[in-house]
Amino acid sequence: MKNRLPRLLALGLVLGLLLLAGRPAPAVRAQSLYFSLPEYKLQAYVQPDGVVRIVYDLTFQNSNFGAPIDAIDVGAPNNAFQMADVTASLDGVPARSIESSPYVEYGFAVYPANPIPAGGRGTLHVEFPVRNLLYSDVTRKEYTSFRITPFWFGSEFVDGTTNLQIAVHLQPGVQPDEALYQLKPFTDKALFQDRAVVVWQANWRATDAYLVGVSFPNRGITAGIIQQSVLDLAAKWLEDNPEARFALGLAVAAAFAVAFFRFSGGTGLSVFALLGCGLAGAMALSPYLQLALIPLSFIVIVVVEVSLARRRRTYLPAIAQVEGGGIKRGLTAPEAALLLELPLSRVLGLVIFGLLKKGVLEQVKETPLAVKLAADYAAPGPKASAEATAAARQAVA
């Protein structure tokens, strides 16, 4: 057995080497899509009817070991377009078909009639009109806002960087100096074929969004402008930034938790769990509800703190003193009311009621209450006045 063991090990090593030698290299075993984008041009033409015509020109350089590029998924700004209005060609040859894409939410798939082979190069040209891209500018009443980003690809498919050019052609009648940039400054702006054109150029890696925007006068646009407010912008920003929306929701929930447990003195965990579930559901249901809960949470905290401050002021202050003669009995109603910290108006009412009952005062008017000193206690002379005063004190006691 000991003599056969080295032979078995040697045989296993030889078989392993043969298996490794028989396995193909990864590039030979399976081809994958891998390309670069030397040039990427996006042009947007704003029409007087509010429709924006999108034009893409993408130059693909396929890798030497990449699979043929026989399908290209093109993203659209939204779904407000018709598939029948889309035209596409590769190097001037019309596409074989244009169909819905299973990979992009808004967009379509272009199937060229002449796929780009490994090591080949080709330029894809796509045109289609899109609606619902123009919004009212919340900072300027007479202006329109337009934002767009070129669609991008997965990082596992793209090699290198891209020379990106974005041009927005405004409607006729607008001057270049009237256009104002959003997010990123213009690289250039000019007047071309009686249209103001704003341009952005960048060295870009086509694996992420490159959002740009422009504000321009709505002069000459007859329809298609979506009215929006600052609240609408904030809600859209929350929808586009789920991480920020989640963090903001946690802050709102924390504020309500602090207010609840401060008010309840650390009790009512089950009640808070039910309220917390309702609060989370409301924030997840709509970004508008979440925005409304932000100021409401601060208002709740302020109301709770004010309530707690008022509650603290109602307690009697602690008094350290030498023990007296025991519990005092036989207090008059005003004295008892004073010790009970009733409002001074009620204490005074009790005093007046006692004087009326004892005949020291006489009621002159019921509403509003008016009293006067009784005739028996109103003496004209100083001696009589002193006697009346003494009698009044005895009556009160």
Side-chain angles (χ1 to χ4, degrees), residues 139-183:
T139 60
R140 295 171 180 82
K141 184 179 179 181
E142 304 298 330
Y143 268 60
T144 295
S145 175
F146 171 69
R147 291 185 177 185
I148 195 168
T149 178
F151 70 92
W152 59 94
F153 302 89
S155 58
E156 67 273 21
F157 303 124
V158 182
D159 179 36
T161 58
T162 299
N163 181 19
L164 173 66
Q165 177 178 316
I166 302 175
V168 177
H169 303 253
L170 306 180
Q171 77 274 17
V174 176
Q175 299 302 313
D177 292 338
E178 293 180 296
L180 305 174
Y181 75 86
Q182 298 179 16
L183 305 173

Side-chain angles (χ1 to χ4, degrees), residues 105-129:
E105 182 179 6
Y106 303 140
F108 45 87
V110 176
Y111 296 90
N114 50 335
I116 304 174
R121 188 184 181 100
T123 299
L124 174 70
H125 180 82
V126 179
E127 294 189 24
F128 58 99

Side-chain angles (χ1 to χ4, degrees), residues 318-348:
I319 300 175
Q321 63 183 12
V322 179
E323 185 178 354
I327 300 174
K328 299 298 182 183
R329 302 179 183 275
L331 297 176
T332 63
E335 290 172 340
L338 195 61
L339 287 178
L340 290 174
E341 291 190 318
L342 295 180
L344 291 178
S345 58
R346 294 188 63 182
V347 176
L348 181 59

Side-chain angles (χ1 to χ4, degrees), residues 28-359:
V28 177
R29 185 172 68 253
Q31 286 182 317
S32 59
L33 192 63
Y34 196 66
F35 56 86
S36 61
L37 283 166
E39 300 286 340
Y40 193 127
K41 295 182 180 179
L42 164 60
Q43 298 188 77
Y45 295 82
V46 179
Q47 309 294 344
D49 59 358
V51 176
V52 179
R53 185 164 60 92
I54 305 295
V55 179
Y56 281 116
D57 287 286
L58 284 71
T59 300
F60 291 87
Q61 177 63 56
N62 201 356
S63 61
N64 293 327
F65 56 85
I69 301 177
D70 55 1
I72 303 170
D73 295 296
V74 178
N78 57 33
N79 60 352
F81 68 95
Q82 299 294 326
M83 197 74 69
D85 297 331
V86 180
T87 60
S89 62
L90 182 64
D91 291 334
V93 179
R96 176 170 52 87
S97 64
I98 301 173
E99 303 174 8
S100 298
S101 172
Y103 301 106
V104 293
E105 182 179 6
Y106 303 140
F108 45 87
V110 176
Y111 296 90
N114 50 335
I116 304 174
R121 188 184 181 100
T123 299
L124 174 70
H125 180 82
V126 179
E127 294 189 24
F128 58 99
V130 186
R131 302 182 307 277
N132 301 336
L133 288 180
L134 303 182
Y135 291 83
S136 60
D137 194 320
V138 297
T139 60
R140 295 171 180 82
K141 184 179 179 181
E142 304 298 330
Y143 268 60
T144 295
S145 175
F146 171 69
R147 291 185 177 185
I148 195 168
T149 178
F151 70 92
W152 59 94
F153 302 89
S155 58
E156 67 273 21
F157 303 124
V158 182
D159 179 36
T161 58
T162 299
N163 181 19
L164 173 66
Q165 177 178 316
I166 302 175
V168 177
H169 303 253
L170 306 180
Q171 77 274 17
V174 176
Q175 299 302 313
D177 292 338
E178 293 180 296
L180 305 174
Y181 75 86
Q182 298 179 16
L183 305 173
K184 295 177 177 63
F186 302 132
T187 304
D188 193 11
K189 56 183 179 179
L191 194 63
F192 178 72
Q193 294 181 350
D194 296 331
R195 280 177 174 254
V197 183
V198 294
V199 179
W200 294 267
Q201 287 184 326
N203 192 28
W204 170 61
R205 181 162 172 77
T207 57
D208 202 356
Y210 190 87
L211 185 63
V212 297
V214 56
S215 294
F216 53 93
N218 54 24
R219 187 171 58 249
I221 299 179
T222 58
I225 299 177
I226 300 174
Q227 300 298 319
Q228 63 179 356
S229 63
V230 176
L231 183 62
D232 296 328
L233 287 178
K236 188 176 186 306
W237 183 83
L238 284 179
E239 289 181 336
D240 296 339
N241 296 271
E243 296 85 2
R245 185 176 183 181
F246 179 75
L248 193 59
L250 286 180
V252 172
F256 274 103
V258 170
F260 179 85
F261 289 114
R262 286 275 294 162
F263 184 77
S264 65
T267 61
L269 184 60
S270 300
V271 176
F272 176 75
L274 294 176
L275 293 176
C277 292
L279 187 67
M283 290 190 291
L285 183 64
S286 169
Y288 290 95
L289 288 176
Q290 187 171 2
L291 289 172
L293 288 172
I294 295 173
L296 182 60
S297 62
F298 289 102
I299 293 174
V300 169
I301 290 178
V302 171
V303 170
V304 169
E305 292 301 324
V306 171
S307 175
L308 291 176
R310 289 181 176 176
R311 188 188 303 175
R312 284 193 296 268
R313 287 199 297 267
T314 61
Y315 291 115
L316 285 172
I319 300 175
Q321 63 183 12
V322 179
E323 185 178 354
I327 300 174
K328 299 298 182 183
R329 302 179 183 275
L331 297 176
T332 63
E335 290 172 340
L338 195 61
L339 287 178
L340 290 174
E341 291 190 318
L342 295 180
L344 291 178
S345 58
R346 294 188 63 182
V347 176
L348 181 59
L350 291 172
V351 172
I352 294 175
F353 178 76
L355 294 175
L356 288 172
K357 293 289 288 183
K358 294 181 179 182

